[in-house]
């Protein structure tokens, strides 16, 4: 039940009708007994500035930002935390005394998903160089002591640009390879940070199956379907597989803690996410 003091949180994206964030956050607020509500708003790019002004005018407490606004939203904010600034994308906004402050919690989510994987000295390859890839790559480079971070994708120049930025920001060896060059790079850990595997690309994998080796860790950011083609092929070969749902819940938990200053009810959020996906929800 809402009251006249209910704090409103929301999601801005386009599209948003597949999002399971309302289920995850509603459960979290209920579990903590908070008088708060969460709504998803579909906002086209041309209205993003007006939407942020609306958040300020209405006193909305905070919001998540999803595809395609994570980069564009930054120009509408008053300040950015260090991770958002370094990554060059914001997926969380907290309204603080009328000021909109941007954060990036994708990296926190990735670290949570990878919490059981020792990446120390390992070759970690990411396919993709977009907003999520940057968050994941920065988190791995800054916290997981990898031997090398390899960036790959269909545009080699964009992959190289992220590799160079990683090498300049962190004491990490980093380079780009073409998709065809991935097999030779012999990654110990492979991360899919492209939408390949989700609708409408459910029959696609970001890499040929011959890149996969038994014992490799394969982390797919796509979580709906939870069993992507990549995850199925990797499991069949004997890889350790990690789906995107752990990261989704991890980045949501980090957002909850930024907004409320309280510890996130992780188990409840995980349950809400699994139930929502089982019922056919699909996205951030
Ligand atoms: N599990 C989670 O919590 C979580 C969080 C964030 C994102 N994600 C998922 O991660 C994926 C990427 O999200 P994002 O925010 O990084 O999006 P983004 O900023 O739009 O980046 C997309 C990346 O995928 C590449 N790509 C797009 N379409 C492709 C195609 N048809 N073939 C090959 N590469 C393609 C893009 O390369 P080009 O520039 O060459 O197009 C870019 O590198 C999405 O599936 C999203 O749902 C999951």
């Amino acid at each position: 039940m809402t009251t006249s003091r209910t704090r409103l949180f929301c999601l801005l994206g386009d599209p948003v009708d597949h999002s399971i964030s309302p289920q995850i956050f509603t459960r979290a607020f209920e579990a903590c007994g908070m008088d708060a509500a969460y709504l998803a708003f579909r906002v086209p790019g041309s209205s993003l500035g007006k939407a942020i002004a609306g958040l300020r005018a209405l006193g909305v407490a905070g919001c998540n930002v999803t595809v395609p606004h994570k980069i564009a939203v930054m120009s509408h904010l008053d300040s950015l935390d260090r991770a958002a600034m370094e990554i060059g994308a914001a997926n969380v906004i907290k309204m603080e005394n009328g000021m909109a402050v941007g954060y990036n919690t994708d990296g926190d989510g990735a670290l949570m998903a990878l919490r059981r994987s020792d990446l120390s000295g390992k070759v970690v390859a990411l396919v993709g160089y977009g907003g999520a890839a940057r968050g994941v790559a920065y988190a791995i480079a800054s916290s997981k002591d990898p031997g090398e971070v390899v960036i790959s994708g269909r545009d080699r120049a964009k992959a190289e640009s992220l590799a160079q930025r990683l090498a300049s920001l962190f004491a990490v060896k980093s380079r780009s390879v073409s998709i065809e060059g991935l097999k030779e790079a012999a990654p110990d850990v492979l991360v899919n940070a492209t939408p390949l595997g989700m609708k409408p690309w459910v029959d696609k994998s970001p890499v040929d199956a011959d890149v996969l080796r038994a014992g490799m860790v394969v982390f797919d950011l796509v979580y709906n379907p939870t069993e992507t083609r990549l995850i199925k092929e990797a499991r069949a070969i004997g890889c350790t597989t990690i789906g995107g749902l752990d990261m989704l819940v991890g980045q949501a938990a980090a957002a909850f803690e930024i907004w409320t200053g309280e510890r996130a009810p992780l188990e409840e959020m995980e349950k809400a996410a699994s139930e929502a996906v089982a019922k056919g929800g699909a996205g951030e």
Side-chain angles (χ1 to χ4, degrees):
M1 191 185 73
T2 57
T3 71
S4 52
R5 285 186 298 277
T6 300
R7 296 171 77 208
L8 179 61
F9 297 86
C10 64
L11 171 68
L12 307 181
D14 184 15
V16 293
D17 55 358
H18 59 294
S19 173
I20 62 171
S21 290
Q23 290 94 316
I24 296 174
F25 284 106
T26 301
R27 184 77 64 86
F29 295 141
E30 280 169 9
C32 296
M34 288 180 184
D35 185 2
Y38 190 102
L39 295 173
F41 294 119
R42 180 176 184 187
V43 177
S46 55
S47 300
L48 187 59
K50 282 184 270 181
I52 302 292
L55 300 183
R56 284 195 179 91
L58 295 174
V60 170
C63 73
N64 288 121
V65 182
T66 189
V67 176
H69 302 321
K70 290 184 189 181
I71 295 170
V73 77
M74 293 195 301
S75 62
H76 300 287
L77 304 180
D78 298 300
S79 65
L80 295 168
D81 89 326
R82 186 164 164 208
M85 201 151 12
E86 282 180 349
I87 292 163
N91 70 326
V92 172
I93 300 172
K94 182 179 183 188
M95 299 307 263
E96 296 174 13
N97 305 320
M99 308 279 270
V101 184
Y103 297 83
N104 192 305
T105 62
D106 279 340
D108 301 289
L111 291 181
M112 178 167 153
L114 290 165
R115 66 192 177 282
R116 291 185 200 94
S117 307
D118 178 11
L119 308 194
S120 179
K122 305 277 171 65
V123 176
V124 179
L126 278 98
V127 188
Y129 31 67
R134 281 190 246 171
V136 174
Y138 284 33
I140 289 173
S142 60
S143 317
K144 289 288 218 174
D145 193 25
E148 184 177 35
V149 181
V150 175
I151 308 293
S152 187
R154 58 186 176 180
D155 185 327
R156 183 72 183 273
K158 289 188 192 168
E160 181 58 28
S161 160
L162 176 54
Q164 284 186 14
R165 188 140 165 75
L166 284 174
S168 72
L169 279 173
F170 309 103
V172 68
K173 212 168 125 195
S174 185
R175 68 186 170 111
S176 68
V177 298
S178 62
I179 292 280
E180 298 71 34
L182 265 174
K183 187 178 174 195
E184 207 184 312
D188 303 298
V189 180
L190 179 78
V191 182
N192 175 33
T194 77
L196 296 179
M198 66 185 269
K199 246 167 130 186
W201 298 285
V202 279
D203 60 337
K204 297 245 187 287
S205 168
V207 296
D208 285 339
D210 66 358
V211 174
L212 306 172
R213 285 177 291 115
M216 193 186 242
V217 173
V218 175
F219 173 24
D220 197 338
L221 267 59
V222 172
Y223 51 83
N224 200 312
T226 45
E227 294 273 300
T228 56
R229 177 172 164 185
L230 172 64
I231 290 284
K232 281 183 198 154
E233 288 179 350
R235 185 168 301 133
I237 284 170
C239 305
T240 299
T241 57
I242 303 172
L245 211 55
D246 275 2
M247 173 169 162
L248 181 77
V249 174
Q251 59 84 28
F256 181 95
E257 291 178 4
I258 288 168
W259 290 332
T260 66
E262 291 196 24
R263 203 179 171 83
L266 208 53
E267 267 182 37
E268 291 295 329
M269 294 172 87
E270 277 168 352
K271 262 192 244 160
S274 302
E275 287 167 18
V277 168
K279 279 187 193 152
E284 283 173 84

